[in-house]
Amino acid sequence: MYSDKVIDHFTNPRNVGVIIDADGVGEKVSASCGDRMKVFLKVVDGVIEDLKFQTYGCGAAIASSSMMSELVIGKTLDEALALTNDAVAEALDGLPDPKLHCSNLAADALHDAIKNYKEEGA
Amino acid sequence: MKRIYMDNNATTAVRSEVLEAMLPFYKEQFGNPSSIHWAGQAVSGAVDSARGQVAQLINCQPEEIIFTSCGSEGNALAIKGSAEFLRSKGNHIITTAVEHPAVLNSCKYLEKQGFEVTVLAVDSEGMIDLAELEAAICEQTILISAMWGNNETGTLFPVAEIGAIARKHKVRFHTDAVQAVGRVPVDVQAAGVDMLTISGHKFGAPKGVGALYVRKGMGLTPLFHGGHQERNRRAGTHNVPGIVGLGVACELAITDLAEQDGRIRALRDRLEQGILSRIPEVQVNGHRLQRLPNTLNISFAYIEGEAILLFLDMKGVAASSGSACMSDSFGQSHVIGAMGVDPMMANSNIRFGLGLDNTEEDVDFILEILPEIIQKLRDMSPFYSERAAS
C-alpha cells in the first residue's frame, strides 16, 4: 500500500520532538480523521535552522511530517512557504488516494508555524 | 520472519479437511446439481449432504437452509426478502446501531422504499436494552434484525431473550450470526430465531459461500429471479465446491467449539491480561464477559490505530483496526462510536481475532513487541507529551 519511502520515514521518522524555546509553533488538525500535527521552528537570519514535529496520526501522516521536516530544514522562510502538501506527498513517491488527505497536514502545519513566527515579530 | 495471523474475524484460512473435500468437485464431479443426468445427480447428493451438515450445526431441518454467496447476501435476503414479503402486514423494522453494514445498508435501502426503521442504541459495552427493544415494537413491526456476535468488539447479544420478545409479539426475528457460528454454540430452536445468516469463510470454509436459515413456513421474496434452485428462494447455479466445503466446515465446527471456548479463550485472555499489565492507559472495548471467545478489541490512548497496525505488520503480526484513518474509510468505526467511546480511544482501537492456528508463543511474541511499538508512537504524539506535562 505504501511506498518504500513512506515506510522508511514512518519507521524512522526524522526530527521528531519539541523545541522548548521555539521561535514559531504551528498546529493543524485534520477535520476528516482527527490527525494532529504540531511543528516547532528555530529560525536564524530568515533560515529554518531547526524543525521538530509531533504527530498524532496514521503511517501516512507520520511519514509526511518527517518528509516535510527534511524538505525545509536549511531553507529560507520564503522557500518553506512555497512548500505544498502535494510536494510532500510527491517526495514520498506518492500516497494511496484515500491517504492523500493525511499529507495535507504537513505543509499546512509548517505554514502555521511560520505565520506564528512572523506574528511574534521575531 | 515469523508470521502471526490474528485477524480471524475478517477471514480464516480454509481448513485442510475442507479443501480436500472440495477438490473433487472442481474436476471429477463437475456436474450441475440441477441436471437430471448421472453427472448432476452425483453432485446433487453432495449438496444435500452439506445442507444436512449445516443444519446439524445450528439445529434445524436441512430444508430450512438456503445456500448463498456470502454473509452480506444472507443478510440482504433475510431483511429485504422479509420486508417485501411482509409489506402488506406492516412497514416497521427494528435493528441496532452496531450491525454490520450489510444489515444497516439494507435497512437504509428499505427506508428509501417507504419502510420505517428503528435503530436501537447500545451502551458503553455495546449491549442493547431489551426493554427499549420491546418498547420499540408496534403494530407495524414486521422484523427485528439483531446480530449474534459483533464483528468489531465480539459483544454477544442476548439472542434467546430477543427471540422470546419477538415471539411474544409475533414479530419475525433475524440474526446475523456470521461471527458467532463456529465460535459459540448456535441453536436456532433454543434462541427462537426465525432467520440466521452464516458466512463460510469466517470458520474454515472458503470465501464465496454462505447460508441463510429460514424457519419452515416463513415466506421470503427472493433477491434475484431465475431458476428454481433453493426452493425458488435463491436462483443461480450452486457453488458446489464451496457448499461442500461449508458443510465440512460446519461438521468440524461442532468439535471446534470446545477448543474455541477453552484454548482460544484462554489465549485471548492471556493476550488481554498481558497488554493490560504491560501497557498503561489502555481500554478494552466491548462486553468483558458476554463476548466472542476469540475477540479482543483494545484501544491505546494518545496514538492512532493504523500506525500500530503498520508496526505490528512489520513484525509479521496481522491484526485489524477500526480507526478513523484506515485505508478505505475516514469515518470512525460506527460500532465504537455508538458505544460512546472517547474519540481518541476510538481512533486507536486494534482488533485481535484469534483462531485455531494461534499458540501461546504467538501471544507472548505480541506481548513482547507491543509495549515498544506503543511507546514509540506515544513519544511522537502531541497528546502524550501534553498529558505528561499536565
Side-chain angles (χ1 to χ4, degrees):
Chain A
M1 182 170 100
Y2 287 132
S3 71
D4 290 346
K5 270 193 188 172
V6 172
I7 294 297
D8 175 31
H9 278 266
F10 167 69
T11 316
N12 301 295
R14 286 65 144 171
N15 304 304
V16 174
V18 174
I19 299 175
I20 302 295
D21 56 345
D23 297 324
V25 179
E27 188 173 326
K28 280 288 170 190
V29 177
S30 164
S32 61
C33 63
D35 284 2
R36 180 183 170 203
M37 193 178 298
K38 210 167 173 182
V39 172
F40 304 85
L41 293 180
K42 202 75 193 159
V43 181
V44 177
D45 296 332
V47 172
I48 297 174
E49 189 182 59
D50 196 11
L51 181 153
K52 298 280 185 209
F53 75 87
Q54 292 180 312
T55 295
Y56 163 84
C58 62
I62 290 169
S64 299
S65 315
S66 172
M67 178 55 84
M68 175 274 292
S69 74
E70 287 220 311
L71 289 171
V72 298
I73 290 177
K75 297 281 169 59
T76 66
L77 292 177
D78 286 343
E79 287 170 331
L81 276 171
L83 183 74
T84 63
N85 291 317
D86 286 348
V88 174
E90 219 169 280
L92 287 167
D93 290 341
L95 287 167
D97 282 348
K99 287 291 189 177
L100 278 171
H101 74 284
C102 304
S103 65
N104 290 348
L105 290 179
D108 289 349
L110 167 71
H111 297 162
D112 197 49
I114 294 172
K115 186 178 164 213
N116 174 254
Y117 165 75
K118 288 183 172 174
E119 282 170 358
E120 294 293 314
Chain B
M1 182 169 61
K2 181 177 166 62
R3 290 189 181 276
I4 296 172
Y5 185 77
M6 277 207 193
D7 199 13
N8 287 278
N9 298 67
T11 196
T12 61
V14 174
R15 303 277 295 270
S16 304
E17 301 93 322
V18 169
L19 182 61
E20 206 176 312
M22 289 170 62
L23 286 174
F25 293 91
Y26 282 106
K27 199 156 168 66
E28 292 90 18
Q29 292 175 265
F30 59 88
N32 187 328
S34 299
S35 303
I36 58 164
H37 50 60
W38 59 268
Q41 288 312 294
V43 170
S44 172
V47 172
D48 288 344
S49 179
R51 207 182 296 281
Q53 288 165 311
V54 177
Q56 193 186 355
L57 177 63
I58 63 170
N59 190 25
C60 70
Q61 297 303 308
E63 59 270 27
E64 293 174 309
I65 294 296
I66 301 173
F67 288 116
T68 62
S69 63
C70 60
S72 292
E73 185 192 331
N75 286 332
L77 176 57
I79 295 167
K80 291 160 80 172
S82 293
E84 191 163 336
F85 188 82
L86 298 171
R87 189 185 271 269
S88 61
K89 294 191 173 169
N91 71 337
H92 181 231
I93 295 165
I94 299 172
T95 188
T96 85
V98 295
E99 297 298 312
H100 188 277
V103 168
L104 291 174
N105 288 335
S106 290
C107 289
K108 278 182 190 163
Y109 167 82
L110 289 171
E111 270 183 317
K112 287 182 187 158
Q113 308 304 312
F115 287 87
E116 288 186 16
V117 179
T118 297
V119 180
L120 299 173
V122 296
D123 64 17
S124 60
E125 292 187 296
M127 195 60 82
I128 53 167
D129 181 336
L130 291 174
E132 205 177 306
L133 165 67
E134 189 158 13
I137 297 172
C138 63
E139 274 191 12
Q140 291 294 309
T141 308
I142 51 171
L143 177 69
I144 297 168
S145 182
M147 69 201 326
W148 197 301
N150 188 269
N151 51 309
E152 292 194 29
T153 64
T155 294
L156 293 164
F157 277 165
V159 181
E161 284 89 335
I162 298 170
I165 292 170
R167 265 181 295 189
K168 180 178 154 190
H169 293 274
K170 296 186 171 56
V171 174
R172 192 181 284 203
F173 174 33
H174 163 250
T175 186
D176 170 4
V178 160
Q179 294 291 341
V181 170
R183 299 198 175 111
V184 292
V186 168
D187 183 325
V188 293
Q189 309 308 331
V193 169
D194 298 312
M195 298 183 293
L196 179 141
T197 303
I198 296 172
S199 174
H201 73 102
K202 305 293 186 183
F203 61 105
K207 295 159 192 65
V209 66
L212 178 68
Y213 156 75
V214 181
R215 189 179 290 281
K216 211 170 186 174
M218 295 224 158
L220 203 61
T221 302
L223 287 181
F224 36 90
H225 303 89
H228 300 300
Q229 292 92 348
E230 300 301 288
R231 296 168 181 253
N232 294 315
R233 293 170 299 183
R234 202 275 186 182
T237 303
H238 290 94
N239 167 13
V240 177
I243 288 168
V244 168
L246 177 64
V248 174
C250 285
E251 195 174 302
L252 293 170
I254 293 171
T255 48
D256 288 346
L257 289 173
E259 173 127 350
Q260 289 279 357
D261 200 40
R263 193 180 69 85
I264 302 297
R265 183 188 291 277
L267 284 181
R268 190 274 311 272
D269 291 348
R270 182 188 181 98
L271 180 62
E272 179 176 313
Q273 287 310 313
I275 292 173
L276 290 173
S277 65
R278 284 169 176 78
I279 304 173
E281 298 183 87
V282 299
Q283 170 184 308
V284 176
N285 301 306
H287 202 285
R288 296 300 290 270
L289 301 174
Q290 302 302 317
R291 190 170 22 141
L292 292 169
N294 79 316
T295 308
L296 171 61
N297 186 308
I298 190 159
S299 291
F300 303 85
Y302 313 115
I303 55 180
E304 201 267 351
E306 194 235 37
I308 306 170
L309 275 193
L310 274 179
F311 274 128
L312 283 172
D313 181 42
M314 286 172 195
K315 297 282 189 183
V317 178
S320 82
S321 172
S323 78
C325 216
M326 286 302 289
S327 59
D328 57 353
S329 66
F330 304 143
Q332 189 187 78
S333 147
H334 73 281
V335 174
I336 304 292
M339 291 160 58
V341 174
D342 172 82
M344 186 192 291
M345 294 303 261
N347 279 345
S348 71
N349 78 92
I350 297 292
R351 180 186 67 187
F352 294 101
L354 285 78
L356 298 171
D357 292 336
N358 289 131
T359 62
E360 276 191 11
E361 289 71 34
D362 294 345
V363 169
D364 292 346
F365 179 72
I366 293 171
L367 292 176
E368 187 187 317
I369 61 168
L370 194 57
E372 194 183 331
I373 290 172
I374 300 302
Q375 195 55 51
K376 180 167 181 166
L377 289 168
R378 282 180 173 172
D379 287 343
M380 278 189 247
S381 168
F383 291 114
Y384 187 65
S385 65
E386 285 161 9
R387 162 259 178 215
S390 65

